[in-house]
Amino acid sequence: MKFLFKLNVVLILLGLISSNLYGQTIPKEELVFLTSEWKGERFDDGRPKIPDDLLERARNIGIDDAWTVLKNGGYTNQFEGNWKMVHQNVPVVGRALTAMFMPSRPDVEKNIKERGINQHGRKGNTNSWPIEMLSQGDVYVADGFGKIDAGTLMGATLATSIYSKSGTGVVFNGSSRDLKSIKEIEGFNAFVRDFHPSFLEEMVVMGLNVPIRMGNAIVLPGDLVIAEEEGVLFVPAHMAEQVISIAEFVALKDIFGFEMVRSKKYTTGEIDSKWTEKIKEDFINWLRNKPQLGKMTRAELDKVLSKRTW
């Protein structure tokens, strides 16, 4: 009996420790497992940390080209469209920090808030909790189950806080309020289902930094978010460098191709088919004379072309 009593005490303590560590999140080991293809640096909670230089490069690629690379690689559930935006011409690019909301239930919301406030030091309503976790370069991505009226996950005050912490914006499968005031936050953008004057009601956060569904897309914490006027693309972290490199090359190839076809040096068929050694040499020399477009070695070109699927 004493052994069983001690065992029960140990299990209870382990449960409390686990609760303190994880709360509404999943264990670090689980997140590492789900994103095991990522071999780079991670945040303390296990979220993949795509380097800042890749985020900067991602701001300059076309979402169409990036989508094509993913589709050809078998990643067909990474895009979602039909958004309303604060600004039509301000892209949002960064690492996904995810949150999953559900309709509230009094007993569940009470327990979640009590644990969050008493054990994890959380403050305020649960829609502010993901914001506390943001760092520079993060994009707050939340599944608010498409709720519009009383589904406003942020207003002007929270939007200001989000931008000050992340320097990016948000993607909400839900709504936002205070559009007029949010428009005044220079550099910030929000991709939401709609805007509504109501306050948030009857919603509670059920997951922080967990896999979520955004319409027809799956999103994992740490995914590269590319949100433009066409829609939002969620690039798995381990695919980010490949997607960016190929999208950059496709943009260069198009410029090179236009010039070559215009000068009648090559035909469109030659540009769009497997490149000969002569075309490769001409491309490298062409790029060398246009330093403003970037740099690429012959080895890098061969590597990109070896994976050509467009």
mmCIF file of all heavy atoms in Angstrom, residues 28-65:
data_model
loop_
_atom_site.group_PDB
_atom_site.id
_atom_site.type_symbol
_atom_site.label_atom_id
_atom_site.label_comp_id
_atom_site.label_asym_id
_atom_site.label_seq_id
_atom_site.Cartn_x
_atom_site.Cartn_y
_atom_site.Cartn_z
ATOM 1 N N LYS A 28 7.903 19.391 -26.470
ATOM 2 C CA LYS A 28 8.963 19.708 -27.419
ATOM 3 C C LYS A 28 9.317 18.497 -28.267
ATOM 4 O O LYS A 28 9.520 18.612 -29.488
ATOM 5 C CB LYS A 28 10.206 20.199 -26.665
ATOM 6 C CG LYS A 28 11.396 20.490 -27.562
ATOM 7 C CD LYS A 28 12.582 20.989 -26.745
ATOM 8 C CE LYS A 28 13.785 21.265 -27.643
ATOM 9 N NZ LYS A 28 14.940 21.784 -26.850
ATOM 10 N N GLU A 29 9.388 17.328 -27.640
ATOM 11 C CA GLU A 29 9.755 16.108 -28.367
ATOM 12 C C GLU A 29 8.760 15.806 -29.485
ATOM 13 O O GLU A 29 9.139 15.333 -30.550
ATOM 14 C CB GLU A 29 9.835 14.915 -27.407
ATOM 15 C CG GLU A 29 10.965 14.992 -26.389
ATOM 16 C CD GLU A 29 10.691 15.973 -25.268
ATOM 17 O OE1 GLU A 29 9.515 16.396 -25.115
ATOM 18 O OE2 GLU A 29 11.642 16.334 -24.549
ATOM 19 N N GLU A 30 7.493 16.082 -29.247
ATOM 20 C CA GLU A 30 6.472 15.837 -30.260
ATOM 21 C C GLU A 30 6.613 16.810 -31.426
ATOM 22 O O GLU A 30 6.483 16.422 -32.589
ATOM 23 C CB GLU A 30 5.076 15.952 -29.640
ATOM 24 C CG GLU A 30 3.922 15.688 -30.612
ATOM 25 C CD GLU A 30 3.839 14.241 -31.077
ATOM 26 O OE1 GLU A 30 4.572 13.382 -30.539
ATOM 27 O OE2 GLU A 30 3.027 13.976 -31.988
ATOM 28 N N LEU A 31 6.907 18.060 -31.102
ATOM 29 C CA LEU A 31 7.077 19.056 -32.155
ATOM 30 C C LEU A 31 8.312 18.750 -32.991
ATOM 31 O O LEU A 31 8.291 18.887 -34.222
ATOM 32 C CB LEU A 31 7.181 20.457 -31.548
ATOM 33 C CG LEU A 31 7.256 21.629 -32.531
ATOM 34 C CD1 LEU A 31 6.152 21.549 -33.576
ATOM 35 C CD2 LEU A 31 7.178 22.953 -31.771
ATOM 36 N N VAL A 32 9.383 18.320 -32.344
ATOM 37 C CA VAL A 32 10.590 17.921 -33.072
ATOM 38 C C VAL A 32 10.287 16.717 -33.952
ATOM 39 O O VAL A 32 10.749 16.628 -35.097
ATOM 40 C CB VAL A 32 11.738 17.602 -32.088
ATOM 41 C CG1 VAL A 32 12.922 16.975 -32.826
ATOM 42 C CG2 VAL A 32 12.185 18.868 -31.364
ATOM 43 N N PHE A 33 9.493 15.777 -33.455
ATOM 44 C CA PHE A 33 9.111 14.599 -34.227
ATOM 45 C C PHE A 33 8.323 14.994 -35.476
ATOM 46 O O PHE A 33 8.579 14.504 -36.582
ATOM 47 C CB PHE A 33 8.282 13.657 -33.349
ATOM 48 C CG PHE A 33 7.605 12.542 -34.107
ATOM 49 C CD1 PHE A 33 8.331 11.442 -34.542
ATOM 50 C CD2 PHE A 33 6.249 12.608 -34.408
ATOM 51 C CE1 PHE A 33 7.706 10.418 -35.252
ATOM 52 C CE2 PHE A 33 5.623 11.594 -35.110
ATOM 53 C CZ PHE A 33 6.361 10.494 -35.540
ATOM 54 N N LEU A 34 7.345 15.877 -35.297
ATOM 55 C CA LEU A 34 6.495 16.274 -36.417
ATOM 56 C C LEU A 34 7.265 17.065 -37.480
ATOM 57 O O LEU A 34 6.891 17.064 -38.644
ATOM 58 C CB LEU A 34 5.313 17.104 -35.915
ATOM 59 C CG LEU A 34 4.277 16.366 -35.063
ATOM 60 C CD1 LEU A 34 3.255 17.340 -34.499
ATOM 61 C CD2 LEU A 34 3.576 15.280 -35.878
ATOM 62 N N THR A 35 8.328 17.737 -37.058
ATOM 63 C CA THR A 35 9.132 18.539 -37.991
ATOM 64 C C THR A 35 10.544 17.965 -38.116
ATOM 65 O O THR A 35 11.516 18.696 -38.256
ATOM 66 C CB THR A 35 9.212 20.006 -37.511
ATOM 67 O OG1 THR A 35 9.784 20.040 -36.187
ATOM 68 C CG2 THR A 35 7.834 20.639 -37.466
ATOM 69 N N SER A 36 10.643 16.644 -38.096
ATOM 70 C CA SER A 36 11.951 15.979 -38.044
ATOM 71 C C SER A 36 12.803 16.209 -39.287
ATOM 72 O O SER A 36 14.024 16.020 -39.245
ATOM 73 C CB SER A 36 11.768 14.476 -37.813
ATOM 74 O OG SER A 36 10.994 13.902 -38.861
ATOM 75 N N GLU A 37 12.190 16.604 -40.417
ATOM 76 C CA GLU A 37 12.970 16.876 -41.621
ATOM 77 C C GLU A 37 13.798 18.144 -41.481
ATOM 78 O O GLU A 37 14.754 18.352 -42.229
ATOM 79 C CB GLU A 37 12.040 16.999 -42.837
ATOM 80 C CG GLU A 37 11.332 15.698 -43.220
ATOM 81 C CD GLU A 37 12.307 14.615 -43.643
ATOM 82 O OE1 GLU A 37 13.251 14.924 -44.389
ATOM 83 O OE2 GLU A 37 12.132 13.467 -43.204
ATOM 84 N N TRP A 38 13.442 18.990 -40.547
ATOM 85 C CA TRP A 38 14.203 20.219 -40.306
ATOM 86 C C TRP A 38 15.470 19.885 -39.522
ATOM 87 O O TRP A 38 15.412 19.298 -38.451
ATOM 88 C CB TRP A 38 13.358 21.223 -39.520
ATOM 89 C CG TRP A 38 14.134 22.422 -39.052
ATOM 90 C CD1 TRP A 38 14.574 22.679 -37.781
ATOM 91 C CD2 TRP A 38 14.579 23.533 -39.856
ATOM 92 N NE1 TRP A 38 15.253 23.862 -37.735
ATOM 93 C CE2 TRP A 38 15.274 24.415 -38.996
ATOM 94 C CE3 TRP A 38 14.450 23.856 -41.196
ATOM 95 C CZ2 TRP A 38 15.838 25.616 -39.450
ATOM 96 C CZ3 TRP A 38 15.008 25.042 -41.659
ATOM 97 C CH2 TRP A 38 15.697 25.902 -40.793
ATOM 98 N N LYS A 39 16.629 20.280 -40.048
ATOM 99 C CA LYS A 39 17.913 19.947 -39.419
ATOM 100 C C LYS A 39 18.625 21.172 -38.851
ATOM 101 O O LYS A 39 19.745 21.072 -38.370
ATOM 102 C CB LYS A 39 18.837 19.272 -40.444
ATOM 103 C CG LYS A 39 18.219 18.051 -41.130
ATOM 104 C CD LYS A 39 17.782 16.988 -40.140
ATOM 105 C CE LYS A 39 17.154 15.790 -40.856
ATOM 106 N NZ LYS A 39 16.628 14.782 -39.899
ATOM 107 N N GLY A 40 17.980 22.324 -38.903
ATOM 108 C CA GLY A 40 18.625 23.550 -38.455
ATOM 109 C C GLY A 40 18.327 23.903 -37.012
ATOM 110 O O GLY A 40 17.898 23.069 -36.211
ATOM 111 N N GLU A 41 18.560 25.154 -36.682
ATOM 112 C CA GLU A 41 18.365 25.665 -35.326
ATOM 113 C C GLU A 41 16.885 25.655 -34.957
ATOM 114 O O GLU A 41 16.009 25.765 -35.814
ATOM 115 C CB GLU A 41 18.906 27.094 -35.235
ATOM 116 C CG GLU A 41 18.874 27.697 -33.843
ATOM 117 C CD GLU A 41 19.420 29.115 -33.807
ATOM 118 O OE1 GLU A 41 19.883 29.614 -34.862
ATOM 119 O OE2 GLU A 41 19.367 29.729 -32.721
ATOM 120 N N ARG A 42 16.613 25.518 -33.671
ATOM 121 C CA ARG A 42 15.236 25.526 -33.171
ATOM 122 C C ARG A 42 15.105 26.490 -31.999
ATOM 123 O O ARG A 42 16.081 26.801 -31.314
ATOM 124 C CB ARG A 42 14.812 24.123 -32.707
ATOM 125 C CG ARG A 42 14.686 23.095 -33.834
ATOM 126 C CD ARG A 42 14.305 21.728 -33.289
ATOM 127 N NE ARG A 42 14.192 20.726 -34.353
ATOM 128 C CZ ARG A 42 13.080 20.453 -35.021
ATOM 129 N NH1 ARG A 42 11.959 21.086 -34.696
ATOM 130 N NH2 ARG A 42 13.063 19.545 -35.984
ATOM 131 N N PHE A 43 13.875 26.953 -31.776
ATOM 132 C CA PHE A 43 13.572 27.705 -30.566
ATOM 133 C C PHE A 43 13.569 26.737 -29.383
ATOM 134 O O PHE A 43 13.565 25.517 -29.566
ATOM 135 C CB PHE A 43 12.211 28.397 -30.691
ATOM 136 C CG PHE A 43 12.194 29.560 -31.641
ATOM 137 C CD1 PHE A 43 11.806 29.379 -32.961
ATOM 138 C CD2 PHE A 43 12.562 30.829 -31.215
ATOM 139 C CE1 PHE A 43 11.780 30.449 -33.846
ATOM 140 C CE2 PHE A 43 12.539 31.907 -32.088
ATOM 141 C CZ PHE A 43 12.161 31.719 -33.408
ATOM 142 N N ASP A 44 13.544 27.281 -28.187
ATOM 143 C CA ASP A 44 13.594 26.437 -26.986
ATOM 144 C C ASP A 44 12.437 25.454 -26.919
ATOM 145 O O ASP A 44 12.562 24.371 -26.344
ATOM 146 C CB ASP A 44 13.597 27.302 -25.723
ATOM 147 C CG ASP A 44 14.896 28.085 -25.559
ATOM 148 O OD1 ASP A 44 15.910 27.693 -26.190
ATOM 149 O OD2 ASP A 44 14.890 29.089 -24.811
ATOM 150 N N ASP A 45 11.291 25.820 -27.510
ATOM 151 C CA ASP A 45 10.124 24.936 -27.460
ATOM 152 C C ASP A 45 10.125 23.892 -28.570
ATOM 153 O O ASP A 45 9.198 23.095 -28.675
ATOM 154 C CB ASP A 45 8.824 25.740 -27.512
ATOM 155 C CG ASP A 45 8.697 26.582 -28.782
ATOM 156 O OD1 ASP A 45 9.538 26.423 -29.691
ATOM 157 O OD2 ASP A 45 7.759 27.400 -28.859
ATOM 158 N N GLY A 46 11.169 23.907 -29.418
ATOM 159 C CA GLY A 46 11.272 22.924 -30.492
ATOM 160 C C GLY A 46 10.848 23.437 -31.849
ATOM 161 O O GLY A 46 11.007 22.738 -32.862
ATOM 162 N N ARG A 47 10.309 24.637 -31.911
ATOM 163 C CA ARG A 47 9.850 25.190 -33.186
ATOM 164 C C ARG A 47 11.048 25.470 -34.106
ATOM 165 O O ARG A 47 12.021 26.072 -33.684
ATOM 166 C CB ARG A 47 9.061 26.474 -32.937
ATOM 167 C CG ARG A 47 8.414 27.090 -34.157
ATOM 168 C CD ARG A 47 7.380 28.133 -33.747
ATOM 169 N NE ARG A 47 7.943 29.183 -32.928
ATOM 170 C CZ ARG A 47 8.126 30.444 -33.349
ATOM 171 N NH1 ARG A 47 7.786 30.797 -34.571
ATOM 172 N NH2 ARG A 47 8.617 31.341 -32.531
ATOM 173 N N PRO A 48 10.995 25.024 -35.372
ATOM 174 C CA PRO A 48 12.075 25.320 -36.313
ATOM 175 C C PRO A 48 12.307 26.825 -36.422
ATOM 176 O O PRO A 48 11.353 27.601 -36.482
ATOM 177 C CB PRO A 48 11.569 24.746 -37.637
ATOM 178 C CG PRO A 48 10.646 23.642 -37.235
ATOM 179 C CD PRO A 48 9.964 24.154 -35.992
ATOM 180 N N LYS A 49 13.583 27.224 -36.453
ATOM 181 C CA LYS A 49 13.938 28.636 -36.536
ATOM 182 C C LYS A 49 14.614 28.900 -37.880
ATOM 183 O O LYS A 49 15.836 28.812 -38.013
ATOM 184 C CB LYS A 49 14.855 29.041 -35.390
ATOM 185 C CG LYS A 49 15.118 30.546 -35.317
ATOM 186 C CD LYS A 49 15.955 30.899 -34.100
ATOM 187 C CE LYS A 49 16.132 32.411 -33.989
ATOM 188 N NZ LYS A 49 16.955 32.767 -32.799
ATOM 189 N N ILE A 50 13.810 29.199 -38.876
ATOM 190 C CA ILE A 50 14.344 29.524 -40.199
ATOM 191 C C ILE A 50 15.213 30.773 -40.064
ATOM 192 O O ILE A 50 14.786 31.763 -39.460
ATOM 193 C CB ILE A 50 13.203 29.767 -41.201
ATOM 194 C CG1 ILE A 50 12.366 28.489 -41.363
ATOM 195 C CG2 ILE A 50 13.737 30.221 -42.553
ATOM 196 C CD1 ILE A 50 11.109 28.685 -42.191
ATOM 197 N N PRO A 51 16.436 30.761 -40.615
ATOM 198 C CA PRO A 51 17.355 31.906 -40.458
ATOM 199 C C PRO A 51 16.776 33.202 -41.023
ATOM 200 O O PRO A 51 15.992 33.196 -41.976
ATOM 201 C CB PRO A 51 18.593 31.477 -41.257
ATOM 202 C CG PRO A 51 18.529 29.987 -41.297
ATOM 203 C CD PRO A 51 17.062 29.651 -41.353
ATOM 204 N N ASP A 52 17.180 34.311 -40.421
ATOM 205 C CA ASP A 52 16.683 35.618 -40.835
ATOM 206 C C ASP A 52 17.017 35.929 -42.289
ATOM 207 O O ASP A 52 16.235 36.584 -42.984
ATOM 208 C CB ASP A 52 17.271 36.719 -39.937
ATOM 209 C CG ASP A 52 16.728 36.663 -38.521
ATOM 210 O OD1 ASP A 52 15.639 36.079 -38.324
ATOM 211 O OD2 ASP A 52 17.382 37.200 -37.611
ATOM 212 N N ASP A 53 18.193 35.471 -42.767
ATOM 213 C CA ASP A 53 18.574 35.783 -44.148
ATOM 214 C C ASP A 53 17.627 35.098 -45.145
ATOM 215 O O ASP A 53 17.329 35.652 -46.210
ATOM 216 C CB ASP A 53 20.027 35.399 -44.421
ATOM 217 C CG ASP A 53 20.262 33.901 -44.345
ATOM 218 O OD1 ASP A 53 19.832 33.289 -43.356
ATOM 219 O OD2 ASP A 53 20.879 33.346 -45.275
ATOM 220 N N LEU A 54 17.127 33.906 -44.795
ATOM 221 C CA LEU A 54 16.157 33.243 -45.665
ATOM 222 C C LEU A 54 14.825 33.986 -45.658
ATOM 223 O O LEU A 54 14.155 34.090 -46.691
ATOM 224 C CB LEU A 54 15.946 31.797 -45.229
ATOM 225 C CG LEU A 54 17.001 30.775 -45.653
ATOM 226 C CD1 LEU A 54 16.599 29.375 -45.197
ATOM 227 C CD2 LEU A 54 17.205 30.797 -47.166
ATOM 228 N N LEU A 55 14.431 34.503 -44.489
ATOM 229 C CA LEU A 55 13.191 35.278 -44.422
ATOM 230 C C LEU A 55 13.296 36.512 -45.309
ATOM 231 O O LEU A 55 12.329 36.865 -46.006
ATOM 232 C CB LEU A 55 12.908 35.706 -42.972
ATOM 233 C CG LEU A 55 12.669 34.602 -41.939
ATOM 234 C CD1 LEU A 55 12.317 35.225 -40.597
ATOM 235 C CD2 LEU A 55 11.571 33.654 -42.385
ATOM 236 N N GLU A 56 14.450 37.151 -45.288
ATOM 237 C CA GLU A 56 14.642 38.341 -46.105
ATOM 238 C C GLU A 56 14.566 37.998 -47.592
ATOM 239 O O GLU A 56 13.950 38.723 -48.377
ATOM 240 C CB GLU A 56 15.986 38.990 -45.773
ATOM 241 C CG GLU A 56 16.194 40.354 -46.392
ATOM 242 C CD GLU A 56 15.154 41.365 -45.940
ATOM 243 O OE1 GLU A 56 14.744 41.319 -44.768
ATOM 244 O OE2 GLU A 56 14.757 42.199 -46.776
ATOM 245 N N ARG A 57 15.184 36.889 -47.971
ATOM 246 C CA ARG A 57 15.123 36.467 -49.374
ATOM 247 C C ARG A 57 13.701 36.092 -49.789
ATOM 248 O O ARG A 57 13.285 36.339 -50.924
ATOM 249 C CB ARG A 57 16.072 35.289 -49.598
ATOM 250 C CG ARG A 57 17.537 35.656 -49.556
ATOM 251 C CD ARG A 57 18.418 34.428 -49.480
ATOM 252 N NE ARG A 57 18.197 33.507 -50.598
ATOM 253 C CZ ARG A 57 18.694 32.267 -50.644
ATOM 254 N NH1 ARG A 57 19.418 31.805 -49.625
ATOM 255 N NH2 ARG A 57 18.454 31.501 -51.700
ATOM 256 N N ALA A 58 12.950 35.519 -48.848
ATOM 257 C CA ALA A 58 11.582 35.087 -49.163
ATOM 258 C C ALA A 58 10.675 36.264 -49.483
ATOM 259 O O ALA A 58 9.650 36.099 -50.153
ATOM 260 C CB ALA A 58 11.006 34.291 -47.993
ATOM 261 N N ARG A 59 11.027 37.453 -49.018
ATOM 262 C CA ARG A 59 10.207 38.632 -49.296
ATOM 263 C C ARG A 59 10.224 39.012 -50.770
ATOM 264 O O ARG A 59 9.352 39.758 -51.234
ATOM 265 C CB ARG A 59 10.690 39.828 -48.463
ATOM 266 C CG ARG A 59 10.649 39.599 -46.968
ATOM 267 C CD ARG A 59 11.140 40.821 -46.207
ATOM 268 N NE ARG A 59 11.446 40.497 -44.826
ATOM 269 C CZ ARG A 59 10.543 40.349 -43.859
ATOM 270 N NH1 ARG A 59 9.268 40.544 -44.157
ATOM 271 N NH2 ARG A 59 10.903 40.030 -42.633
ATOM 272 N N ASN A 60 11.214 38.500 -51.495
ATOM 273 C CA ASN A 60 11.406 38.923 -52.875
ATOM 274 C C ASN A 60 11.050 37.862 -53.910
ATOM 275 O O ASN A 60 11.299 38.059 -55.096
ATOM 276 C CB ASN A 60 12.866 39.357 -53.076
ATOM 277 C CG ASN A 60 13.255 40.507 -52.165
ATOM 278 O OD1 ASN A 60 12.542 41.494 -52.069
ATOM 279 N ND2 ASN A 60 14.381 40.371 -51.479
ATOM 280 N N ILE A 61 10.472 36.739 -53.482
ATOM 281 C CA ILE A 61 10.127 35.698 -54.445
ATOM 282 C C ILE A 61 8.645 35.749 -54.764
ATOM 283 O O ILE A 61 7.844 36.322 -54.014
ATOM 284 C CB ILE A 61 10.502 34.283 -53.930
ATOM 285 C CG1 ILE A 61 9.661 33.904 -52.703
ATOM 286 C CG2 ILE A 61 11.990 34.209 -53.618
ATOM 287 C CD1 ILE A 61 9.870 32.477 -52.247
ATOM 288 N N GLY A 62 8.273 35.156 -55.891
ATOM 289 C CA GLY A 62 6.879 35.112 -56.278
ATOM 290 C C GLY A 62 6.159 33.947 -55.633
ATOM 291 O O GLY A 62 6.667 32.818 -55.612
ATOM 292 N N ILE A 63 4.967 34.209 -55.100
ATOM 293 C CA ILE A 63 4.222 33.149 -54.434
ATOM 294 C C ILE A 63 3.809 32.068 -55.425
ATOM 295 O O ILE A 63 3.711 30.889 -55.075
ATOM 296 C CB ILE A 63 2.995 33.735 -53.702
ATOM 297 C CG1 ILE A 63 2.443 32.737 -52.683
ATOM 298 C CG2 ILE A 63 1.918 34.172 -54.683
ATOM 299 C CD1 ILE A 63 1.397 33.333 -51.753
ATOM 300 N N ASP A 64 3.607 32.435 -56.689
ATOM 301 C CA ASP A 64 3.252 31.449 -57.710
ATOM 302 C C ASP A 64 4.389 30.456 -57.932
ATOM 303 O O ASP A 64 4.160 29.240 -58.031
ATOM 304 C CB ASP A 64 2.916 32.138 -59.040
ATOM 305 C CG ASP A 64 1.720 33.070 -58.924
ATOM 306 O OD1 ASP A 64 0.904 32.861 -58.014
ATOM 307 O OD2 ASP A 64 1.622 34.000 -59.735
ATOM 308 N N ASP A 65 5.618 30.990 -58.017
ATOM 309 C CA ASP A 65 6.778 30.124 -58.219
ATOM 310 C C ASP A 65 6.994 29.216 -57.008
ATOM 311 O O ASP A 65 7.305 28.027 -57.155
ATOM 312 C CB ASP A 65 8.040 30.967 -58.470
ATOM 313 C CG ASP A 65 7.944 31.768 -59.756
ATOM 314 O OD1 ASP A 65 7.267 31.305 -60.690
ATOM 315 O OD2 ASP A 65 8.551 32.858 -59.822
#
